[in-house]
Amino acid sequence: MSTQEKSIQTYDHYISQLFAAEDDLLQATRAEMQQAGLRPINVSASGGQLLHLLALLSGARRILEIGTLGGYSAIWLARALPADGKLISLEIDEHHAAVARRNVAQAGLATKVEVRVGPALATLTTMQQAGEAPFDLVFIDADKDGYIAYLQKAVALVRDGGLILADNTLPDEVLDTNADSGTKRYNAAVAAHPALVSTIVPVLRRQGFDGLTISIKRALGA
Ligand SMILES: C[S@@+](CC[C@H](N)C(=O)[O-])C[C@H]1O[C@@H](n2cnc3c(N)ncnc32)[C@H](O)[C@@H]1O
């Protein structure tokens, strides 16, 4: 482990123990994911707390998540919802979805969280065609090559004044002018989008630091 990684871990530990201590249910969620053979590519506890805080700040009643894995970030987000709130999470892998549903139920959130299985782009298109009610917050955290397409759907599905968040948007290649990647394309598209006001917030991770791109959708002409 490099000195930089060690100190990033130390800072992340400081933030997490003060603001993002995991309760038994979040710890059990990670344990269940490990037992079920899922890779630990969920957000960190401090990242989960950031999502939770943004959901509260936006007064979210309806949340859309793209990329469920074992339900870890869904639990952080759903805990910010009011009693009649709803989170719909999209996942391509049946096994991941089954683990997530178990974890969500254990966390007492089964009535608020719905996991829909299938390729996210197809599910999003179906939702759009079905006239799905607008979301207050969309969290994008699935395959990076899909990010641009998810952005278009997210802009259509989020209300004016709602938030669009995208995870893992500050990998090393963003600094390489010759590199091309889904996240680089996503960040460029968000920056150029006339309806979005955005920035990237660097976030600390076990493996170093990464980024969360945060956008608010304003009404065009407003
Ligand atoms: C980084 S993980 C999500 C982590 C989760 N948000 C958390 O922090 O707990 C990405 C997930 O997206 C799913 N995924 C990948 N491609 C997908 C696609 N095309 N449609 C829907 N889900 C997809 C993967 O199976 C995986 O479970």
Side-chain angles (χ1 to χ4, degrees):
M1 189 188 299
S2 72
T3 312
Q4 192 205 12
E5 278 170 345
K6 198 155 97 200
S7 71
I8 284 173
Q9 272 193 350
T10 313
Y11 283 113
D12 190 39
H13 177 71
Y14 173 75
I15 297 172
S16 301
Q17 49 95 21
L18 264 184
F19 298 108
E22 286 180 327
D23 61 11
D24 291 349
L25 288 164
L26 284 164
Q27 285 177 22
T29 294
R30 284 195 297 103
E32 176 74 23
M33 284 170 54
Q34 192 179 5
Q35 182 112 19
L38 272 54
R39 288 194 298 146
I41 52 172
N42 51 283
V43 298
S44 61
S46 57
Q49 174 69 353
L50 178 58
L51 296 176
H52 181 79
L53 185 65
L54 289 167
L56 288 174
L57 277 171
S58 65
R61 306 181 75 81
R62 282 176 52 79
I63 297 176
L64 173 63
E65 177 178 68
I66 306 172
T68 318
L69 193 66
Y72 185 81
S73 55
I75 292 173
W76 279 101
L77 283 164
R79 284 180 169 178
L81 288 169
D84 60 349
K86 175 107 184 156
L87 182 148
I88 298 174
S89 188
L90 313 185
E91 174 55 55
I92 198 167
D93 187 303
E94 287 275 5
H95 176 54
H96 293 183
V99 174
R101 287 188 186 114
R102 276 206 302 277
N103 284 329
V104 160
Q106 285 289 336
L109 294 164
T111 56
K112 287 185 182 169
V113 177
E114 181 191 339
V115 182
R116 295 189 186 172
V117 179
L121 194 53
T123 312
L124 289 164
T125 302
T126 305
M127 290 169 81
Q128 225 181 338
Q129 287 167 350
E132 183 81 37
F135 290 92
D136 303 298
L137 186 155
V138 180
F139 175 47
I140 303 172
D141 190 19
D143 53 313
K144 307 306 167 225
D145 285 339
Y147 269 34
I148 284 274
Y150 302 148
L151 175 65
Q152 283 166 7
K153 298 293 182 193
V155 171
L157 287 163
V158 82
R159 68 166 163 85
D160 289 347
L163 293 181
I164 301 174
L165 314 175
D167 203 24
N168 308 118
T169 52
L170 213 46
D172 289 346
E173 71 258 18
V174 292
L175 302 181
D176 179 350
T177 44
N178 297 319
D180 181 36
S181 71
T183 42
K184 264 187 96 170
R185 273 178 267 132
Y186 179 87
N187 288 335
V190 156
H193 201 297
L196 299 177
V197 179
S198 312
T199 193
I200 302 175
V201 176
V203 289
L204 306 173
R205 292 279 155 80
R206 284 176 295 275
Q207 324 82 307
F209 72 87
D210 203 329
L212 182 75
T213 301
I214 303 179
S215 307
I216 186 163
K217 178 182 163 187
R218 61 195 176 108
L220 280 178

